[in-house]
């Protein structure tokens, strides 16, 4: 039985971000991916120059109407990431709601990209849309610490705070929440960052259980673009293959990330030469070269069940 994903994300001609980061890995893992490109840029905006076009909410609606008129608007998953425009995000919610009427089992995976390290890099009017409209229709969300704090209005200073924030997020809609990065101190030292996950499941007898996990992820001294998009796509894939086991799904997701990033950084340093800082072009994710790791990742990071 084929599994079909509608992915509404950015597109770049050169490099890996948004749909370019998500599509190939999902296809490698057996998913059919239908892409709507929310922007079409020459490259990501970390380069000195970029050119391109932005899709409007109306244009998104036109594309969706075309799919609908042909009666091929049947999806198992919707995946979304970075959006800058309030009306575009509201249109995404409308589409998700309509797709869910056609398939009540549809799973919406949302990376609520709003900012990092205490500052927002999208317009502030997106926050109420995420809080009041998106979360109620999303099954899986992948915020970083700052985004989780924005969505709940609660600061995370301890692991206990983080668990409470994830519980608040569950109550707003999603049954799977992964805080992809945090400022919490790692038990393994300063070279590691802490990620946390929480999954609510209904047992056969109707009772609710929550599995919570923590992961210590090695830090890398470089700036990558497209890693968050890859993370959300891999979490979609591995939760599909391990629907009742957040621990395994997260271990596979984070291990894929680790292999792709390690390969990228070693290739980038090789291209840059000794003592030279790699350029944005040299730091583009080595996605195709990582095909085997995406398909069957060697587990290098274990999740601790809390």
């Amino acid at each position: 039985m084929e599994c079909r994903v509608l992915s509404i994300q950015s597109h770049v001609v050169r490099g890996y971000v948004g749909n370019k980061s998500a599509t190939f890995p999902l296809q490698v893992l057996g998913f059919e991916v239908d892409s709507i490109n929310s922007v079409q840029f020459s490259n990501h905006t970390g380069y000195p120059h970029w050119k391109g076009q932005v899709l409007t909410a109306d244009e998104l609606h036109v594309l969706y109407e075309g799919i609908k008129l042909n009666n091929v608007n049947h999806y198992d998953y919707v995946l979304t990431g970075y959006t800058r425009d309030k009306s575009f995000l509201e249109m995404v919610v409308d589409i998700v709601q309509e797709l869910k009427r056609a398939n009540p089992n549809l799973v919406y995976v949302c990376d609520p990209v709003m900012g990092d390290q205490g500052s927002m890099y999208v317009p502030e009017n997106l926050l109420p849309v995420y809080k009041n409209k998106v979360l109620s229709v999303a099954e899986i969300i992948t915020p970083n610490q700052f985004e989780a704090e924005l969505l709940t209005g609660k600061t995370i200073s301890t692991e206990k705070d983080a668990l409470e924030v994830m519980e608040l997020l569950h109550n707003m809609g999603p049954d799977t929440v992964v805080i992809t990065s945090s400022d919490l101190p790692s038990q393994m030292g300063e070279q590691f960052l802490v990620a946390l996950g929480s999954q609510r499941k209904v047992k056969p007898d109707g009772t609710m259980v929550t599995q919570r996990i923590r992961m210590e992820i090695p830090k890398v001294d470089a700036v990558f673009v497209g890693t968050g998009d890859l993370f959300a796509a891999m979490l979609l894939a591995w939760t599909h293959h391990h629907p009742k086991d957040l621990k395994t799904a997260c271990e596979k997701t984070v291990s894929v990330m680790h292999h792709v990033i390690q390969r990228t950084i070693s290739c980038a340093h090789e291209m840059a030469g000794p003592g030279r800082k790699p350029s944005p072009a040299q730091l583009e994710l080595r996605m195709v070269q990582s095909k085997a790791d995406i398909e069957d990742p060697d587990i290098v990071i274990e999740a601790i069940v809390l």
Side-chain angles (χ1 to χ4, degrees), residues 43-72:
N43 44 267
H44 71 67
T45 57
Y47 284 74
H49 309 280
W50 70 91
K51 301 276 185 191
Q53 301 82 34
V54 177
L55 196 71
T56 66
D58 288 341
E59 289 164 339
L60 169 62
H61 185 250
V62 167
L63 288 173
Y64 175 69
E65 282 295 305
I67 295 166
K68 197 166 107 179
L69 287 168
N70 290 309
N71 195 29
V72 289

Side-chain angles (χ1 to χ4, degrees), residues 251-283:
E251 286 173 346
K252 289 193 174 182
T253 297
V254 172
S255 294
V256 168
M257 303 293 299
H258 176 83
H259 296 306
V260 172
I261 286 169
Q262 289 305 321
R263 181 170 287 107
T264 300
I265 200 136
S266 66
C267 292
H269 283 308
E270 208 174 301
M271 286 167 76
R276 293 174 71 101
K277 195 169 176 254
S279 67
Q282 290 165 339
L283 285 168

Side-chain angles (χ1 to χ4, degrees), residues 180-192:
T180 55
S181 63
S182 74
D183 301 326
L184 296 174
S186 166
Q187 296 170 351
M188 294 171 73
E190 286 184 2
Q191 294 309 304
F192 289 80

